[in-house]
Amino acid sequence: MEETLFDELKRYVGWSEVDERALRALHASAAPHFPAVAEVFYATILGHEGAKRSLTGGESQVGHLKITLQRWLDTLLRGPWDEAYYQNRSRIGRYHVRIELPQHYMFGAMNVVRRELNAIVDDTYRTSPDALKTVREALGRILDLELAVMLHTFREDLVAQSARAERLATFGQLVGSIGHDLRNPLGVIETSLFILRGRVGADERVKKHLDRIGDQLGVANGIITNLLDMIRNRPLVKERVRLEQVVAGAVDAVMRPEAMRFRAEGLAGLEVEGDPGQLRQVFVNLLSNAVEAASPAGAVSIAASREDGRITVAVEDSGPGVDPAVARRLFEPLITTKERGIGLGLALVKRIVERHGGSVAYEPPAGGGARFLVHLPA
């Protein structure tokens, strides 16, 4: 079996079953101290202006973050240290890229954890020198592993983000140069179509073809609008937005086959600060994709929840799902799984959601289909 990156990192630091047993033995003694470690950790961050600015939710989020840190400490010492553990830790590195956290703060934060846990180890094993040495070495290895995983995913996502920015810059130059030139001939066709409609009389076959031309004009204009939206930084007109109204507007804008099952739940009473028009576009794009994937007689659902200062809206369909080979690139411009798509809808979703301080992710449901999760600050 091919060695995974996590296996390679474990081998590099000399990870063994002895370390696993040592950390699990430490867990029982250390767990009661986790709240105190979290207090010291965030007191240190709040005492440093540069590190304090990295808290995207400000001081009001510290209570939630303390709980998150305690969970992190729990799995740090309890395991299991498997691929699921690695994937969970990788998400932390990606989050650091998203909030533009300087790497030196990662080292500083890990040093605070190392210092506090070493103090617990010293106190717990002060009468057992051999056990003290074993546990200290195990703790050093797991914290080195943590840093290695975070730095690897930090670098991986930073490189990907830079490449995406370059592609968007090139894409913007191209779109900006051709958007206006395409709109002119489309405008002429639209004007001519209007004149022709008034002169065809009762010939139903001609009317049918004129309607087709009109439909395709709408498609072409929609593509140009999406292209231009990708390169514009339209200012957000923020207000208090009721998600139930925004999603209802998006649902009304998306045509669904009569045989399709649709369900929405959990939206009542949820509010965010945002631009209602742009948020509506997010859900129009996600619902359009879901309806197309689940047509003609599948199911589409929207479910919302609020937890720890953020709102999550899940848009799920019963369609064929997304090929794992393209899942990680779904939100890049010009990446599409549709035969007739050009890959702008999800890229625009990502752009709008991130401008609202949130994030969007694809998650394959256990029973098949596709699920997109939109996270927004409450």
Side-chain angles (χ1 to χ4, degrees):
M1 185 176 177
E2 187 177 351
E3 186 180 52
T4 67
L5 175 64
F6 195 41
D7 289 334
E8 181 185 350
L9 291 173
K10 283 180 176 178
R11 180 165 52 82
Y12 185 78
V13 301
W15 184 259
S16 69
E17 290 184 3
V18 173
D19 298 313
E20 294 188 3
R21 289 195 296 270
L23 292 178
R24 288 195 176 106
L26 173 63
H27 180 273
S29 302
H33 299 279
F34 289 165
V37 173
E39 290 292 335
V40 172
F41 183 89
Y42 281 103
T44 305
I45 287 180
L46 293 174
H48 188 288
E49 281 303 315
K52 182 179 175 180
R53 283 195 294 272
S54 70
L55 297 177
T56 55
E59 292 187 44
S60 62
Q61 287 292 89
V62 169
H64 159 63
L65 293 172
K66 287 176 181 176
I67 295 172
T68 301
L69 178 61
Q70 291 176 53
R71 292 174 186 159
W72 180 87
L73 289 167
D74 182 71
T75 53
L76 178 80
L77 301 184
R78 188 167 49 85
W81 301 272
D82 53 13
E83 281 303 307
Y85 181 95
Y86 169 74
Q87 293 300 330
N88 178 273
R89 272 18 187 192
S90 294
R91 283 193 286 272
I92 297 174
R94 295 189 183 104
Y95 178 75
H96 290 161
V97 172
R98 187 165 67 80
I99 65 173
E100 300 178 349
L101 177 73
Q103 283 183 301
H104 58 270
Y105 290 136
M106 265 192 276
F107 285 95
M110 195 62 76
N111 189 54
V112 173
V113 172
R114 192 184 299 266
R115 183 190 68 211
E116 295 301 312
L117 290 180
N118 274 330
I120 295 170
V121 171
D122 291 346
D123 183 60
T124 303
Y125 296 94
R126 61 182 179 274
T127 59
S128 306
D130 291 341
L132 175 65
K133 180 176 181 295
T134 300
V135 176
R136 259 189 170 268
E137 288 178 351
L139 184 61
R141 289 191 183 100
I142 190 60
L143 292 176
D144 288 345
L145 270 175
E146 288 283 341
L147 266 180
V149 171
M150 288 185 202
L151 290 172
H152 173 77
T153 51
F154 187 98
R155 178 187 174 279
E156 188 178 59
D157 269 43
L158 196 61
V159 169
Q161 193 178 74
S162 298
R164 181 173 178 266
E166 287 182 17
R167 285 195 299 273
L168 279 175
T170 305
F171 181 69
Q173 292 172 356
L174 175 65
V175 171
S177 65
I178 67 173
H180 179 71
D181 293 336
L182 283 175
R183 278 269 163 82
N184 283 339
L186 289 175
V188 172
I189 296 171
E190 200 164 4
T191 302
S192 299
L193 180 64
F194 177 77
I195 294 170
L196 287 172
R197 284 186 191 278
R199 299 185 179 182
V200 296
D203 192 327
E204 292 300 324
R205 291 181 61 189
V206 174
K207 285 183 178 179
K208 179 180 177 181
H209 285 289
L210 291 179
D211 288 341
R212 285 182 178 176
I213 294 172
D215 291 342
Q216 295 308 307
L217 274 173
V219 171
N221 275 311
I223 291 172
I224 293 172
T225 298
N226 284 338
L227 284 166
L228 293 174
D229 282 344
M230 277 300 302
I231 63 170
R232 290 178 186 143
N233 274 324
R234 287 190 298 164
L236 297 178
V237 183
K238 285 194 171 184
E239 59 184 71
R240 198 71 182 163
V241 177
R242 292 176 60 193
L243 271 181
E244 190 173 24
Q245 290 182 342
V246 169
V247 172
V251 170
D252 289 342
V254 177
M255 297 291 293
R256 304 192 305 274
E258 289 186 8
M260 180 168 288
R261 303 183 304 282
F262 178 79
R263 176 173 55 88
E265 61 184 16
L267 291 158
L270 296 181
E271 295 184 344
V272 296
E273 285 286 335
D275 185 315
Q278 294 194 38
L279 287 175
R280 177 181 177 275
Q281 187 64 52
V282 165
F283 294 108
V284 165
N285 290 5
L286 291 175
L287 284 169
S288 295
N289 289 347
V291 167
E292 185 171 341
S295 289
V300 172
S301 68
I302 301 176
S305 61
R306 173 173 178 157
E307 183 180 3
D308 297 332
R310 76 172 183 177
I311 288 171
T312 299
V313 183
V315 179
E316 186 172 337
D317 66 69
S318 61
V322 177
D323 187 336
V326 298
R328 285 200 64 181
R329 301 185 63 201
L330 269 178
F331 298 99
E332 295 179 18
L334 309 182
I335 299 296
T336 183
T337 58
K338 301 178 183 178
E339 291 183 8
R340 299 177 61 186
I342 63 171
L344 293 174
L346 290 177
L348 191 57
V349 164
K350 178 180 175 67
R351 188 179 181 90
I352 293 172
V353 171
E354 288 184 349
R355 291 184 69 206
H356 280 79
S359 63
V360 60
Y362 168 72
E363 179 183 283
R371 179 192 293 124
F372 289 87
L373 301 175
V374 176
H375 304 293
L376 294 167

